[in-house]
Amino acid sequence: MTVTSAETVITATRARTAAGSAAVRRKQGFQHGAWFVAPFLVLFALFVIWPLLRGLYLSFTDANISGDATSFIGLDNYSEALDDPLVWESLGHSAYFTLLVVPCITVLAFLLAMLAHHIERGKWLWRLCFFAPFLLPSTVAANLWQWLFNPGTGMINHVFGIETAWLTDKSYAMLAVVICTLWWTVGFSFLLYLAALQGIPAHLYEAAKLDGANAWHRMVHITLPMLRHITGLVIALQILASLQVFDQAVVMMDFLPGPEGSTRTFVQYTLEEGFTSYRVGYASAISIIFFVIIAAVALARMWLLRNREEGGR
Amino acid sequence: MGRPGLNRRQLLTGLSGLTVAGSLGFAALGTGADALASGANTRVAYWNLFSGGDGYNMIAMLDAFRKANPGIDVKDSTLQWGSPFYTKLAMAAAGNRAPDLGVMHLGRVTGFSPGRLLDPWDVGLLAKYGVREADFNPELWKRALVDGKLYALPLDIHVQLCFYRKDVLKKAGLLGDDGRIVPVTSVDEWFDVLKEAKKATRKGLQTIGMWSSDQNFQWWFFVAFYTQLGGTWFDDADAEVTFDTDKAVQVLDFLRRHITDGYVDPGFAGGAGAEQFVNGGPFVWEGNWSVPVFDSAKLDYGATPLPPVFGEQATHAESHAFVLPHQADRGGAANEGAHQLAAYIVQHARQWAAGGHIPAYTPTLSTAAYKKLNPQSEYVSAMDHQATEPKVWFAGSTGILAQRVGPIVVSSTMGSARPDAAARRMKSTLTELLAMKNPMDGRTAAQGGAAA
């Protein structure tokens, strides 16, 4: 054995030892970490995974609310759902709501964030005003807007001098729910935009100014591109949340599906089938269908984003 | 000997364990502690759905019962009205955690799986506490029977009424010498009355509030007027739909005409009707539970059953009834207590009548105390001409039938569907429902026989 080879062996041994102790540390780290995530995993398995599997099983049965006299009926619930006009109608209402809310909330949140970011006096007041409604429970927000939309004594008709039957005319009912939702939830997206705006380095604007860029150029070439990721996030979160719209619509319509069923959303229909009609098997089947739709939307969004990023590289 | 083996972590573990065990222990103690505290021998758990004025009245009646029966402790719980109540009751009965006594709408009893989710009343035990079949309107009693057994003990009937402002009608010359509204016996007479009343109505107010966009109320009104025309729903075997679309069109046209002739402002389509009435509108069609509201507003008003515009008297009626949610081991003192409590409240329903309801226990109706109640005594005749939903598993207050057919009536009243198209849709919906299997037992209405 030469000296050189001996040194090599020693170096290699040291490296192995170091690697070994790192592995031991990683293992220990994993064990400690596992204890920290265990409560979450247990709850997740108990309240998400297990109900999901149980719901999947029930969707192939004619289970009722009392849980007995259940028999396996294969895909009958699914084929019934495809022929059920109320499934399509309520899905349409959820989609319509989403189409109205998502663009409005994205633009509104951006504009409010710009305002709160640039305004100098009373900055805190603006931020509080825009964000505060988000802190209200949905029932409070919905009740508030129910009063505001009241045809006889409500403020909206009074201020605008109109006589619109907001909550009882089927052409306006969903619009009323959308307006309430915008006011109530815009604060969350507003906060995301505001944080992102504050994260844009000031020197970019200074350099652009020196190069003679006006406010419009700075907005189009710096602000909007720098907010691209946040905009993507806001849109994705809003789509997923809006598709699942339920509580504010139900409370505003006094627990009914709105004038001529015009605000019956998919979640509400699932609830009606499961807990009013007692058809738990059928309700499970349509909620599984809804789960697949939402998962598809989320996956499509991930796929689109990945492609766009790869294309940009 | 070393130090006791207790480090900080073990101490924390021990303390948290104690806290959890303690709270579970207290929770378990809770139910027993109530009974112990009252010193009562028997404890009756009772679930009801009465809020607002009805809630106060029910609590007052329970307090009176407690005072009269110190040996029985009543543990009452008031739950949210409508579907949530029925869901909880069904799940509690299915899971063998049912209360000893519950309240339901009579129309829902048939669909609530009598025999599985509901236990029958012991008629002998009820008689022991003073309640007999002879004391009830026969139609009402019949609705409470399933397969010959009594599954519901009626407490009241509540009806849809035509409330009128005496001050406005007097100005319009529409009050008779007895201080009540002039009798109306046809559609034309009714619209003549509205025409005159409108002339005497202050600007900005509608002539009549009739919940034109509410699926429950519109359905109830439809049931009333369709019954006035002698309309039927299904044949005796519940195998064929006998719904008469021509009669339905007459009713739908009638309801719609209130809007097209300008007596109902579609802008005030929902609950604003009562508000307008309080502010001086001459008419509102409302449930009798609005009596306390109009009483407290100190209005000079009267109330009759819905006008018999199609000849026959009939107004929509539902009924609150006591039920025994299914318990695997029903019997013993708590069960007897439930019978005693229900019998007591049914017999002492004078207090209940203050809320506008018509007591089901007929001896109450002939008492001087009841006859003095106004306007209750003006519409007590509604007991004899009740228009009710068909006795099938999917019917009853806020049930599947109302949920499916109500919006169709609204679409016609509000003008987004023509009455003839709406009537055809109603018929096809009724056909679908009749073919539908009751999720509780997998049988259609026809296969369900008397239990439907």
Side-chain angles (χ1 to χ4, degrees), chain B residues 6-7 52 81 89 136-137 162 168 175 234 268 287 296 331 403 411 445:
Chain B
L6 189 70
N7 61 24
W81 177 83
L89 198 62
F136 292 83
N137 172 291
C162 174
V168 185
L175 277 193
F234 310 116
F268 300 126
S296 63
Q403 244 179 41
S411 69

Side-chain angles (χ1 to χ4, degrees), chain A residues 21 39 78 102 126 130 133 148 158 171 188 228 264:
Chain A
S21 60
Y78 288 93
V102 175
W126 295 104
F130 299 150
L148 293 174
H158 182 73
S171 356
F188 180 68
R228 212 183 62 207
R264 179 189 275 119

Side-chain angles (χ1 to χ4, degrees), chain A residues 64-66 68 86 150-153 165 168 170 256-257 260 264 269 272-273 275-279, chain B residues 83 86-87 91 94 108 112 116 213-215 266-270 275 400 403-404 411 416 439-440:
Chain A
N64 63 44
I65 203 166
S66 74
D68 50 356
L86 280 177
N150 188 306
T153 52
T168 47
K170 68 169 182 172
L256 291 174
E260 298 172 49
R264 179 189 275 119
Y269 184 54
E272 280 174 13
E273 282 301 298
F275 293 104
T276 307
S277 306
Y278 305 147
R279 302 180 68 203
Chain B
S83 300
Y86 291 113
T87 304
M91 292 177 90
R108 290 291 289 258
F112 215 73
R116 279 218 351 265
S213 73
D214 186 283
Q215 62 180 47
F268 300 126
E275 214 171 86
I400 303 173
Q403 244 179 41
R404 295 286 168 91
S411 69
S416 57
M440 288 301 191

Side-chain angles (χ1 to χ4, degrees), chain A residues 40-56:
Chain A
F40 168 78
L41 287 178
V42 168
L43 292 178
F44 187 72
L46 206 63
F47 292 111
V48 179
I49 303 293
W50 167 244
L52 196 68
L53 294 176
R54 176 88 186 144
L56 189 64

Side-chain angles (χ1 to χ4, degrees), chain B residues 16-41:
Chain B
S16 55
L18 270 177
T19 314
V20 171
S23 52
L24 288 176
F26 280 120
L29 268 176
T31 47
D34 287 337
L36 289 176
S38 70
N41 305 320

Side-chain angles (χ1 to χ4, degrees), chain A residues 2-68:
Chain A
T2 61
V3 175
T4 322
S5 66
E7 277 175 355
T8 314
V9 169
I10 292 166
T11 317
T13 312
R14 275 187 190 148
R16 261 204 309 277
T17 317
S21 60
V24 168
R25 272 204 305 277
R26 267 205 303 277
K27 200 175 166 196
Q28 279 176 344
F30 175 76
Q31 279 172 347
H32 288 300
W35 282 112
F36 278 106
V37 293
F40 168 78
L41 287 178
V42 168
L43 292 178
F44 187 72
L46 206 63
F47 292 111
V48 179
I49 303 293
W50 167 244
L52 196 68
L53 294 176
R54 176 88 186 144
L56 189 64
Y57 163 72
L58 287 174
S59 73
F60 299 117
T61 70
D62 60 357
N64 63 44
I65 203 166
S66 74
D68 50 356

